[in-house]
Amino acid sequence: MEKTIAASDLIINADGSIYHLNLKPEDIADTIITVGDQERVPEVSKYFDKIELKKGKREFITHTGYIGKKRITVISTGIGTDNIDIVLNELDALANIDFEQRQINQNHKTLQIIRLGTSGSINKDIEMGSILASSHGLGLDSLMHYYERNLNDEDKVLEQQIQSSLQDLGLSPYLTSASASLLNTLAVDIPKGITVTAPGFYAPQGRKVRAKNKINNLIERLTSLDLNPYQITNLEMETAGIYALANALGHEAISINAILASRLNFEFANNPTLIVENMLKKVLEKLA
């Protein structure tokens, strides 16, 4: 007999919905778009031909609908990999656990998880205003210290090289590659690079305001790494967690980034809304 998942491990609300997301298994599509900002959810779903569901709880707003005959869910995650831990685990539970029996379904369902987010360039070849696909997510946070991982050989070698190069900074980064199939379908014509996921917005991304930074040359150290044929291109706060948990749970994931800042030139875009809108249209046209 399959192991029953404890009520304290998988919390289900009285109405049969999952604890944080407030969703039932039938509420989500197999294709999931994640956005950080809850206000971006309707900016995505306005392109749907039909919206069948709108739900929300805390920062987690969900719309499910159709573009043509394709069913799509868009959900806001909020900021950071701590929220990604909640969203990815609960989406997986919705897809792969029988809530009544509290047991894992015999047939595993693979979700396609597409992050549409914003980011800052730390690479001279990635211009502000452009769109970038993350070939890999490199996490500077500690999320994946708590999960077993199943990396391919190339990811293992690349991760070990990066860890060795940055160990004097007291960092132990984890690395996971994107879904090859999603890269080939959604990002075939988009520049690609390794996206660094930081556990904060200010010092963890090399910004200097008032508090003194412990690592004063973080961006320089990241961009100086020789990872041929790959290169580190940008900084944000979710991609590595999405890639690593998707890998651990058997899902496909890709992160598409609207580049709103040039960290090398100390500049921020004057038209961030237009850049994000361009990204949304580009990806949704391909999904349709």
Side-chain angles (χ1 to χ4, degrees), residues 32-36 84 113-119 134 195 234 236-239 242-243 253-258 279:
I32 311 281
I33 294 173
T34 72
V35 296
I84 293 302
I113 300 167
I114 303 159
R115 174 189 177 269
L116 300 181
T118 59
S119 186
S134 304
T195 296
N234 59 309
E236 50 74 81
M237 294 180 65
E238 290 86 33
T239 295
I242 293 173
Y243 280 16
I254 188 172
S255 176
I256 310 292
N257 305 266
M279 172 187 64

PDB file of all heavy atoms in Angstrom, residues 32-36 84 113-119 134 195 234 236-239 242-243 253-258 279:
ATOM      1  N   ILE A  32       1.939  26.071 -17.162  1.00  0.00           N
ATOM      2  CA  ILE A  32       1.861  27.067 -16.089  1.00  0.00           C
ATOM      3  C   ILE A  32       2.824  28.213 -16.391  1.00  0.00           C
ATOM      4  O   ILE A  32       4.024  27.989 -16.581  1.00  0.00           O
ATOM      5  CB  ILE A  32       2.251  26.462 -14.727  1.00  0.00           C
ATOM      6  CG1 ILE A  32       1.523  25.138 -14.459  1.00  0.00           C
ATOM      7  CG2 ILE A  32       2.061  27.481 -13.609  1.00  0.00           C
ATOM      8  CD1 ILE A  32       0.127  25.260 -13.994  1.00  0.00           C
ATOM      9  N   ILE A  33       2.306  29.429 -16.413  1.00  0.00           N
ATOM     10  CA  ILE A  33       3.158  30.620 -16.497  1.00  0.00           C
ATOM     11  C   ILE A  33       3.267  31.204 -15.101  1.00  0.00           C
ATOM     12  O   ILE A  33       2.249  31.435 -14.436  1.00  0.00           O
ATOM     13  CB  ILE A  33       2.566  31.662 -17.460  1.00  0.00           C
ATOM     14  CG1 ILE A  33       2.579  31.129 -18.896  1.00  0.00           C
ATOM     15  CG2 ILE A  33       3.331  32.986 -17.373  1.00  0.00           C
ATOM     16  CD1 ILE A  33       1.852  32.028 -19.872  1.00  0.00           C
ATOM     17  N   THR A  34       4.498  31.426 -14.634  1.00  0.00           N
ATOM     18  CA  THR A  34       4.684  32.095 -13.344  1.00  0.00           C
ATOM     19  C   THR A  34       5.194  33.512 -13.562  1.00  0.00           C
ATOM     20  O   THR A  34       6.038  33.754 -14.427  1.00  0.00           O
ATOM     21  CB  THR A  34       5.665  31.335 -12.427  1.00  0.00           C
ATOM     22  OG1 THR A  34       6.999  31.468 -12.920  1.00  0.00           O
ATOM     23  CG2 THR A  34       5.311  29.868 -12.333  1.00  0.00           C
ATOM     24  N   VAL A  35       4.658  34.423 -12.792  1.00  0.00           N
ATOM     25  CA  VAL A  35       5.121  35.809 -12.774  1.00  0.00           C
ATOM     26  C   VAL A  35       5.327  36.200 -11.317  1.00  0.00           C
ATOM     27  O   VAL A  35       4.670  35.656 -10.430  1.00  0.00           O
ATOM     28  CB  VAL A  35       4.115  36.765 -13.467  1.00  0.00           C
ATOM     29  CG1 VAL A  35       3.971  36.430 -14.950  1.00  0.00           C
ATOM     30  CG2 VAL A  35       2.742  36.717 -12.788  1.00  0.00           C
ATOM     31  N   GLY A  36       6.219  37.118 -11.055  1.00  0.00           N
ATOM     32  CA  GLY A  36       6.457  37.521  -9.676  1.00  0.00           C
ATOM     33  C   GLY A  36       5.351  38.412  -9.144  1.00  0.00           C
ATOM     34  O   GLY A  36       4.757  38.161  -8.097  1.00  0.00           O
ATOM     35  N   ILE A  84       9.026  30.308  -4.172  1.00  0.00           N
ATOM     36  CA  ILE A  84       9.088  29.280  -5.207  1.00  0.00           C
ATOM     37  C   ILE A  84       8.955  27.895  -4.582  1.00  0.00           C
ATOM     38  O   ILE A  84       8.322  26.995  -5.142  1.00  0.00           O
ATOM     39  CB  ILE A  84      10.400  29.386  -6.013  1.00  0.00           C
ATOM     40  CG1 ILE A  84      10.420  30.685  -6.821  1.00  0.00           C
ATOM     41  CG2 ILE A  84      10.598  28.174  -6.917  1.00  0.00           C
ATOM     42  CD1 ILE A  84       9.269  30.865  -7.782  1.00  0.00           C
ATOM     43  N   ILE A 113       6.488  24.582 -16.931  1.00  0.00           N
ATOM     44  CA  ILE A 113       6.504  25.776 -16.081  1.00  0.00           C
ATOM     45  C   ILE A 113       7.345  26.846 -16.761  1.00  0.00           C
ATOM     46  O   ILE A 113       8.538  26.648 -17.017  1.00  0.00           O
ATOM     47  CB  ILE A 113       7.058  25.435 -14.685  1.00  0.00           C
ATOM     48  CG1 ILE A 113       6.162  24.358 -14.032  1.00  0.00           C
ATOM     49  CG2 ILE A 113       7.131  26.685 -13.811  1.00  0.00           C
ATOM     50  CD1 ILE A 113       6.766  23.722 -12.812  1.00  0.00           C
ATOM     51  N   ILE A 114       6.716  27.969 -17.049  1.00  0.00           N
ATOM     52  CA  ILE A 114       7.352  29.037 -17.826  1.00  0.00           C
ATOM     53  C   ILE A 114       7.382  30.302 -16.989  1.00  0.00           C
ATOM     54  O   ILE A 114       6.337  30.914 -16.730  1.00  0.00           O
ATOM     55  CB  ILE A 114       6.580  29.288 -19.137  1.00  0.00           C
ATOM     56  CG1 ILE A 114       6.487  27.990 -19.954  1.00  0.00           C
ATOM     57  CG2 ILE A 114       7.231  30.398 -19.950  1.00  0.00           C
ATOM     58  CD1 ILE A 114       5.358  27.984 -20.959  1.00  0.00           C
ATOM     59  N   ARG A 115       8.565  30.686 -16.525  1.00  0.00           N
ATOM     60  CA  ARG A 115       8.688  31.934 -15.776  1.00  0.00           C
ATOM     61  C   ARG A 115       8.832  33.100 -16.747  1.00  0.00           C
ATOM     62  O   ARG A 115       9.711  33.091 -17.619  1.00  0.00           O
ATOM     63  CB  ARG A 115       9.909  31.915 -14.850  1.00  0.00           C
ATOM     64  CG  ARG A 115      10.155  33.260 -14.156  1.00  0.00           C
ATOM     65  CD  ARG A 115      11.475  33.299 -13.413  1.00  0.00           C
ATOM     66  NE  ARG A 115      11.712  34.614 -12.817  1.00  0.00           N
ATOM     67  CZ  ARG A 115      12.365  35.607 -13.427  1.00  0.00           C
ATOM     68  NH1 ARG A 115      12.873  35.434 -14.627  1.00  0.00           N
ATOM     69  NH2 ARG A 115      12.527  36.771 -12.810  1.00  0.00           N
ATOM     70  N   LEU A 116       7.992  34.113 -16.596  1.00  0.00           N
ATOM     71  CA  LEU A 116       8.113  35.356 -17.348  1.00  0.00           C
ATOM     72  C   LEU A 116       8.416  36.454 -16.333  1.00  0.00           C
ATOM     73  O   LEU A 116       7.517  36.908 -15.623  1.00  0.00           O
ATOM     74  CB  LEU A 116       6.826  35.653 -18.125  1.00  0.00           C
ATOM     75  CG  LEU A 116       6.402  34.595 -19.157  1.00  0.00           C
ATOM     76  CD1 LEU A 116       5.130  35.019 -19.873  1.00  0.00           C
ATOM     77  CD2 LEU A 116       7.516  34.348 -20.161  1.00  0.00           C
ATOM     78  N   GLY A 117       9.679  36.841 -16.241  1.00  0.00           N
ATOM     79  CA  GLY A 117      10.083  37.744 -15.173  1.00  0.00           C
ATOM     80  C   GLY A 117      10.993  38.849 -15.642  1.00  0.00           C
ATOM     81  O   GLY A 117      11.325  38.963 -16.827  1.00  0.00           O
ATOM     82  N   THR A 118      11.421  39.655 -14.694  1.00  0.00           N
ATOM     83  CA  THR A 118      12.317  40.773 -14.979  1.00  0.00           C
ATOM     84  C   THR A 118      13.689  40.489 -14.388  1.00  0.00           C
ATOM     85  O   THR A 118      13.825  39.674 -13.473  1.00  0.00           O
ATOM     86  CB  THR A 118      11.761  42.080 -14.402  1.00  0.00           C
ATOM     87  OG1 THR A 118      11.595  41.941 -12.988  1.00  0.00           O
ATOM     88  CG2 THR A 118      10.419  42.422 -15.033  1.00  0.00           C
ATOM     89  N   SER A 119      14.687  41.181 -14.913  1.00  0.00           N
ATOM     90  CA  SER A 119      16.055  40.868 -14.511  1.00  0.00           C
ATOM     91  C   SER A 119      16.975  42.026 -14.878  1.00  0.00           C
ATOM     92  O   SER A 119      16.607  42.922 -15.642  1.00  0.00           O
ATOM     93  CB  SER A 119      16.505  39.575 -15.216  1.00  0.00           C
ATOM     94  OG  SER A 119      17.761  39.164 -14.758  1.00  0.00           O
ATOM     95  N   SER A 134      17.022  31.803 -19.933  1.00  0.00           N
ATOM     96  CA  SER A 134      18.010  31.250 -18.998  1.00  0.00           C
ATOM     97  C   SER A 134      18.371  29.826 -19.406  1.00  0.00           C
ATOM     98  O   SER A 134      17.559  28.914 -19.286  1.00  0.00           O
ATOM     99  CB  SER A 134      17.455  31.252 -17.568  1.00  0.00           C
ATOM    100  OG  SER A 134      17.053  32.547 -17.177  1.00  0.00           O
ATOM    101  N   THR A 195      21.584  32.403 -15.659  1.00  0.00           N
ATOM    102  CA  THR A 195      20.931  33.386 -14.797  1.00  0.00           C
ATOM    103  C   THR A 195      21.281  33.111 -13.344  1.00  0.00           C
ATOM    104  O   THR A 195      21.089  31.996 -12.857  1.00  0.00           O
ATOM    105  CB  THR A 195      19.405  33.339 -14.990  1.00  0.00           C
ATOM    106  OG1 THR A 195      19.092  33.728 -16.330  1.00  0.00           O
ATOM    107  CG2 THR A 195      18.695  34.253 -14.008  1.00  0.00           C
ATOM    108  N   ASN A 234      22.915  37.449 -16.201  1.00  0.00           N
ATOM    109  CA  ASN A 234      21.944  38.309 -15.520  1.00  0.00           C
ATOM    110  C   ASN A 234      21.681  37.849 -14.094  1.00  0.00           C
ATOM    111  O   ASN A 234      22.019  36.722 -13.710  1.00  0.00           O
ATOM    112  CB  ASN A 234      20.629  38.363 -16.312  1.00  0.00           C
ATOM    113  CG  ASN A 234      19.991  36.992 -16.508  1.00  0.00           C
ATOM    114  OD1 ASN A 234      20.633  36.045 -16.945  1.00  0.00           O
ATOM    115  ND2 ASN A 234      18.718  36.884 -16.177  1.00  0.00           N
ATOM    116  N   GLU A 236      18.638  37.796 -10.898  1.00  0.00           N
ATOM    117  CA  GLU A 236      17.244  37.947 -10.468  1.00  0.00           C
ATOM    118  C   GLU A 236      17.033  37.099  -9.217  1.00  0.00           C
ATOM    119  O   GLU A 236      18.003  36.793  -8.533  1.00  0.00           O
ATOM    120  CB  GLU A 236      16.263  37.633 -11.609  1.00  0.00           C
ATOM    121  CG  GLU A 236      16.509  36.321 -12.320  1.00  0.00           C
ATOM    122  CD  GLU A 236      16.093  35.117 -11.513  1.00  0.00           C
ATOM    123  OE1 GLU A 236      14.891  34.789 -11.486  1.00  0.00           O
ATOM    124  OE2 GLU A 236      16.966  34.472 -10.898  1.00  0.00           O
ATOM    125  N   MET A 237      15.777  36.675  -8.906  1.00  0.00           N
ATOM    126  CA  MET A 237      15.538  36.077  -7.592  1.00  0.00           C
ATOM    127  C   MET A 237      14.691  34.802  -7.571  1.00  0.00           C
ATOM    128  O   MET A 237      14.313  34.356  -6.489  1.00  0.00           O
ATOM    129  CB  MET A 237      14.893  37.125  -6.668  1.00  0.00           C
ATOM    130  CG  MET A 237      15.814  38.294  -6.344  1.00  0.00           C
ATOM    131  SD  MET A 237      15.050  39.520  -5.259  1.00  0.00           S
ATOM    132  CE  MET A 237      14.833  38.564  -3.761  1.00  0.00           C
ATOM    133  N   GLU A 238      14.395  34.191  -8.738  1.00  0.00           N
ATOM    134  CA  GLU A 238      13.548  32.994  -8.727  1.00  0.00           C
ATOM    135  C   GLU A 238      14.019  31.832  -9.599  1.00  0.00           C
ATOM    136  O   GLU A 238      13.716  30.673  -9.306  1.00  0.00           O
ATOM    137  CB  GLU A 238      12.098  33.344  -9.155  1.00  0.00           C
ATOM    138  CG  GLU A 238      11.307  34.157  -8.182  1.00  0.00           C
ATOM    139  CD  GLU A 238      11.530  35.652  -8.336  1.00  0.00           C
ATOM    140  OE1 GLU A 238      11.743  36.104  -9.477  1.00  0.00           O
ATOM    141  OE2 GLU A 238      11.507  36.358  -7.311  1.00  0.00           O
ATOM    142  N   THR A 239      14.710  32.114 -10.691  1.00  0.00           N
ATOM    143  CA  THR A 239      14.945  31.109 -11.736  1.00  0.00           C
ATOM    144  C   THR A 239      15.594  29.829 -11.220  1.00  0.00           C
ATOM    145  O   THR A 239      15.145  28.718 -11.539  1.00  0.00           O
ATOM    146  CB  THR A 239      15.793  31.702 -12.871  1.00  0.00           C
ATOM    147  OG1 THR A 239      15.040  32.730 -13.515  1.00  0.00           O
ATOM    148  CG2 THR A 239      16.195  30.647 -13.892  1.00  0.00           C
ATOM    149  N   ILE A 242      13.196  27.560  -9.398  1.00  0.00           N
ATOM    150  CA  ILE A 242      12.234  26.947 -10.317  1.00  0.00           C
ATOM    151  C   ILE A 242      12.880  25.788 -11.058  1.00  0.00           C
ATOM    152  O   ILE A 242      12.326  24.686 -11.143  1.00  0.00           O
ATOM    153  CB  ILE A 242      11.684  27.991 -11.310  1.00  0.00           C
ATOM    154  CG1 ILE A 242      10.821  29.021 -10.571  1.00  0.00           C
ATOM    155  CG2 ILE A 242      10.881  27.318 -12.420  1.00  0.00           C
ATOM    156  CD1 ILE A 242      10.375  30.185 -11.431  1.00  0.00           C
ATOM    157  N   TYR A 243      14.075  26.023 -11.615  1.00  0.00           N
ATOM    158  CA  TYR A 243      14.749  24.976 -12.386  1.00  0.00           C
ATOM    159  C   TYR A 243      15.071  23.759 -11.514  1.00  0.00           C
ATOM    160  O   TYR A 243      14.862  22.617 -11.923  1.00  0.00           O
ATOM    161  CB  TYR A 243      16.033  25.526 -12.999  1.00  0.00           C
ATOM    162  CG  TYR A 243      15.844  26.337 -14.258  1.00  0.00           C
ATOM    163  CD1 TYR A 243      14.597  26.839 -14.629  1.00  0.00           C
ATOM    164  CD2 TYR A 243      16.922  26.631 -15.084  1.00  0.00           C
ATOM    165  CE1 TYR A 243      14.439  27.594 -15.775  1.00  0.00           C
ATOM    166  CE2 TYR A 243      16.772  27.379 -16.242  1.00  0.00           C
ATOM    167  CZ  TYR A 243      15.534  27.861 -16.577  1.00  0.00           C
ATOM    168  OH  TYR A 243      15.380  28.595 -17.729  1.00  0.00           O
ATOM    169  N   ALA A 253      10.947  23.190 -17.158  1.00  0.00           N
ATOM    170  CA  ALA A 253      10.903  24.603 -16.788  1.00  0.00           C
ATOM    171  C   ALA A 253      11.804  25.434 -17.685  1.00  0.00           C
ATOM    172  O   ALA A 253      12.858  24.980 -18.143  1.00  0.00           O
ATOM    173  CB  ALA A 253      11.319  24.780 -15.326  1.00  0.00           C
ATOM    174  N   ILE A 254      11.357  26.655 -17.923  1.00  0.00           N
ATOM    175  CA  ILE A 254      12.159  27.640 -18.638  1.00  0.00           C
ATOM    176  C   ILE A 254      11.873  29.005 -18.034  1.00  0.00           C
ATOM    177  O   ILE A 254      10.761  29.273 -17.562  1.00  0.00           O
ATOM    178  CB  ILE A 254      11.851  27.645 -20.153  1.00  0.00           C
ATOM    179  CG1 ILE A 254      12.836  28.546 -20.900  1.00  0.00           C
ATOM    180  CG2 ILE A 254      10.416  28.077 -20.425  1.00  0.00           C
ATOM    181  CD1 ILE A 254      12.734  28.451 -22.408  1.00  0.00           C
ATOM    182  N   SER A 255      12.886  29.862 -18.017  1.00  0.00           N
ATOM    183  CA  SER A 255      12.745  31.234 -17.524  1.00  0.00           C
ATOM    184  C   SER A 255      13.090  32.197 -18.648  1.00  0.00           C
ATOM    185  O   SER A 255      14.164  32.109 -19.247  1.00  0.00           O
ATOM    186  CB  SER A 255      13.677  31.460 -16.329  1.00  0.00           C
ATOM    187  OG  SER A 255      13.630  32.798 -15.881  1.00  0.00           O
ATOM    188  N   ILE A 256      12.146  33.091 -18.953  1.00  0.00           N
ATOM    189  CA  ILE A 256      12.356  34.149 -19.945  1.00  0.00           C
ATOM    190  C   ILE A 256      12.407  35.467 -19.193  1.00  0.00           C
ATOM    191  O   ILE A 256      11.531  35.774 -18.388  1.00  0.00           O
ATOM    192  CB  ILE A 256      11.234  34.180 -20.991  1.00  0.00           C
ATOM    193  CG1 ILE A 256      10.989  32.784 -21.580  1.00  0.00           C
ATOM    194  CG2 ILE A 256      11.554  35.187 -22.078  1.00  0.00           C
ATOM    195  CD1 ILE A 256      12.116  32.249 -22.422  1.00  0.00           C
ATOM    196  N   ASN A 257      13.457  36.261 -19.470  1.00  0.00           N
ATOM    197  CA  ASN A 257      13.724  37.468 -18.687  1.00  0.00           C
ATOM    198  C   ASN A 257      13.628  38.732 -19.530  1.00  0.00           C
ATOM    199  O   ASN A 257      14.261  38.827 -20.589  1.00  0.00           O
ATOM    200  CB  ASN A 257      15.145  37.399 -18.111  1.00  0.00           C
ATOM    201  CG  ASN A 257      15.396  36.141 -17.307  1.00  0.00           C
ATOM    202  OD1 ASN A 257      15.234  36.133 -16.105  1.00  0.00           O
ATOM    203  ND2 ASN A 257      15.802  35.060 -17.973  1.00  0.00           N
ATOM    204  N   ALA A 258      12.868  39.692 -19.050  1.00  0.00           N
ATOM    205  CA  ALA A 258      12.888  41.036 -19.621  1.00  0.00           C
ATOM    206  C   ALA A 258      13.994  41.809 -18.908  1.00  0.00           C
ATOM    207  O   ALA A 258      13.958  41.977 -17.686  1.00  0.00           O
ATOM    208  CB  ALA A 258      11.539  41.718 -19.418  1.00  0.00           C
ATOM    209  N   MET A 279       7.934  41.079 -24.051  1.00  0.00           N
ATOM    210  CA  MET A 279       8.237  39.705 -23.663  1.00  0.00           C
ATOM    211  C   MET A 279       6.977  38.848 -23.605  1.00  0.00           C
ATOM    212  O   MET A 279       6.948  37.717 -24.121  1.00  0.00           O
ATOM    213  CB  MET A 279       8.938  39.685 -22.298  1.00  0.00           C
ATOM    214  CG  MET A 279       9.137  38.294 -21.718  1.00  0.00           C
ATOM    215  SD  MET A 279       9.787  38.307 -20.030  1.00  0.00           S
ATOM    216  CE  MET A 279       8.450  39.120 -19.134  1.00  0.00           C
TER     217      MET A 279
END
